[in-house]
Amino acid sequence: MGLIWNCRGLNNTLSPTIPKIRALLGSKFYDFLFLIETKCSTSQIFPMFRTLGFVKNFGVDAVEASGGLWVGWRNESKMKLVKACNNFVILLVEKYNGRLWYLVLSYGAPCLSMRASVLMEMEKWFDTCNFPFLIVGDFNQVDFSCDKLSSSQRPIDGAEEFNLWKIRNELVDIPYKGPRFTWCNNLKGDKRVYEQLDKSMGSKEWFSLFPDTGIKHYPI
């Protein structure tokens, strides 16, 4: 079980995000913690969560207060870093029955023009991996019109390419519980937008190993 949190800013110890994350971590046992858009250096994050048991970690520093990824995991979680870049981190997991599988923690490019290249880089890795895999994270991409609520009726940029990428790689969506929308632009009136940007999907082989898996969306 893991906790994924889109921080949208974690650049000081007084951030209100930190006690919220700590409260969730105290309520259940989590194997790993994945933070997205930390907007700070990894050296600032590790001390915040090391005392909670996440003694192994890897991160990508933010660039001028933009982006930033960090993942921490426990000794007993039997995870090993395999690959990392600015948009995703891949861990090899040994879980249950000694089975090996990959956990891909993703952060899609915010800029539409760069999104396809991130997906293609991930797809190249799919062709080489020799174990089932699960992908979880913020893709910065809406799949369908029902996953967006706004006053605009424009077609969703990037949706067709994203869905073709899923079909081409035979990815299976993991069912979720909780609110549909995982992001809001926090604007007022007609300018307010809600979207489902966070999602999870697995290879067919992974889903056959863990068919009862589910994702829980917490309120925005």
Side-chain angles (χ1 to χ4, degrees):
M1 180 184 293
L3 177 63
I4 298 172
W5 191 286
N6 199 322
C7 300
R8 297 186 174 90
L10 193 71
N11 49 16
N12 65 74
T13 56
L14 298 178
S15 169
T17 299
I18 295 174
K20 294 176 183 177
I21 297 175
R22 286 179 174 272
L24 283 173
L25 292 173
S27 64
K28 293 180 181 177
F29 182 89
Y30 291 94
D31 290 296
F32 70 91
L33 170 65
F34 180 48
L35 304 178
I36 306 169
E37 282 194 276
T38 59
K39 299 186 179 181
C40 65
S41 69
T42 56
S43 61
Q44 291 174 273
I45 301 172
F46 184 45
M48 298 180 192
F49 301 104
R50 179 175 53 193
T51 56
L52 296 177
F54 299 99
V55 295
K56 295 186 177 180
N57 78 110
F58 179 83
V60 177
D61 291 346
V63 178
E64 297 181 353
S66 177
L69 308 176
W70 185 86
V71 56
W73 62 97
R74 304 176 187 275
N75 265 325
E76 59 269 36
S77 297
K78 294 184 179 180
M79 296 180 172
K80 182 173 68 174
L81 181 69
V82 174
K83 180 180 175 65
C85 63
N86 288 336
N87 294 98
F88 56 86
V89 177
I90 301 175
L91 299 171
L92 180 63
V93 183
E94 181 181 342
K95 202 70 172 168
Y96 312 110
N97 301 330
R99 292 273 192 172
L100 294 175
W101 55 276
Y102 292 110
L103 173 63
V104 184
L105 300 168
S106 173
Y107 174 57
C111 179
L112 177 63
S113 62
M114 298 175 60
R115 214 167 288 160
S117 63
V118 174
L119 294 177
M120 287 304 297
E121 184 177 356
M122 201 180 292
E123 185 168 348
K124 288 179 183 177
W125 177 81
F126 294 160
D127 293 336
T128 64
C129 67
N130 49 354
F131 298 115
F133 58 88
L134 171 70
I135 313 170
V136 191
D138 178 356
F139 286 82
N140 273 313
Q141 179 64 60
V142 174
D143 296 39
F144 305 103
S145 57
C146 61
D147 296 324
K148 180 172 183 175
L149 179 63
S150 74
S151 59
S152 173
Q153 300 300 314
R154 290 179 62 251
I156 299 171
D157 294 333
E160 182 177 359
E161 294 81 358
F162 184 71
N163 283 303
L164 286 174
W165 174 78
K166 290 169 61 178
I167 293 170
R168 191 166 59 245
N169 293 286
E170 300 182 309
L171 300 175
V172 180
D173 288 309
I174 308 299
Y176 69 88
K177 293 182 179 180
R180 173 184 291 273
F181 304 113
T182 62
W183 176 84
C184 175
N185 63 359
N186 292 324
L187 297 181
K188 302 292 185 180
D190 291 343
K191 295 182 179 180
R192 196 171 185 86
V193 177
Y194 291 95
E195 294 180 337
Q196 184 185 122
L197 301 179
D198 302 87
K199 51 195 105 237
S200 58
M201 57 200 79
S203 63
K204 292 190 299 183
E205 295 81 7
W206 191 92
F207 202 71
S208 67
L209 288 177
F210 307 105
D212 297 325
T213 296
I215 299 292
K216 180 177 181 180
H217 288 177
Y218 288 97
I220 297 173

